[in-house]
Amino acid sequence: MKSVLPRGSAVFTAGTVVLLAVTLVVLQALGADRREHSIADLSLVTSLRSSNAKNELEKARSDAILWSSFGGIIQRLTDLEEAWLAMGSNAGTVLERLYVRENPFPESERFLLMDPGDGSPYSVIHAEFESRVQEFLEIHGYDDLLLLTPSGRVVYSFRKEEDFGADLLTEPWQETPLAQVARAASALGPGVPSIADFAPYGPRGGDWALFIGASIHGAGSVGEGGAFVLRLTPKHIGGHLVRSDQQRKTAASMILGDGYRILGRPPWIEEAAPDDPIEQKIRNLARESGDGGGVLRDRDGNEVLVAWETVTF
């Protein structure tokens, strides 16, 4: 089958992700020398967290490249695509009903339905594949794994959310981060990852998600290139970075791409508004001057020591 995914923009390629690891400390009558030392210590911590974040993202990129070229994945996409086509033009509707609307498990646990019992070749293949993917995701911590055909159809999604069965060539999907990664993967070819930065994603209820994909090239109907896609959430990165210490009154935040998400807060700022001005200031300073640190004032006028560092890969 010849690939009909339109060629994507080169902006969704390796190196586009920008993630800011930020650490905040409330100052309490610190002298000038103490502040200077605190800034140095805080900058070091932030640098270490940024390095950790970069390592996690680099690992995800390597996994996408590795697994997209794995023979078992190539064959599984071929099998799923052929089983999908064998069900006829209403395959998407039928499978969406079986795996989503009539799924007996709650939305967050739809992946527990291995086989809906309809006897279709698709469900037989799915039952064997789903358990293996579950093990893979549990080990590596990714949020979802998706397989896309060259024609832009999502023939497999572990989570079975709204994007399962989606046609990425049509609205409302064609401008989503998932479709953009698929187009870029098709344009870039095997061995080169495509990346869509953290952004709110509809099937995740508007929660932030990052997509890393790689083209699948091999024998069979996907010879012209499908796509292997991993989905990450801020939790995947932040779980390695957030360290809150209530006694020292510290907190860690992640500023992601064009917006931000606070991943961990001790009680003293737990109720801070999403538009907290100190978060806005950090984001603007990072955009204007890159890495840095200093003293800012929060909404209540407290002096807060901050340090941030961009993470690109």
XYZ file of all heavy atoms in Angstrom, residues 24 177 282:
23
model
N 11.975 26.278 43.096
C 11.666 27.510 43.819
C 11.972 27.339 45.304
O 11.697 26.297 45.875
C 10.196 27.890 43.675
C 9.666 28.161 42.266
C 9.187 26.891 41.628
C 8.522 29.155 42.345
N -1.478 16.894 17.449
C -0.069 16.501 17.543
C 0.190 15.087 17.029
O 1.236 14.827 16.432
C 0.220 16.609 19.042
C -0.768 17.606 19.551
C -2.001 17.397 18.737
N 8.773 33.479 35.187
C 9.810 32.499 34.863
C 9.724 32.099 33.399
O 10.729 32.016 32.691
C 9.686 31.265 35.774
C 9.983 31.637 37.223
C 10.620 30.154 35.303
C 9.650 30.541 38.214
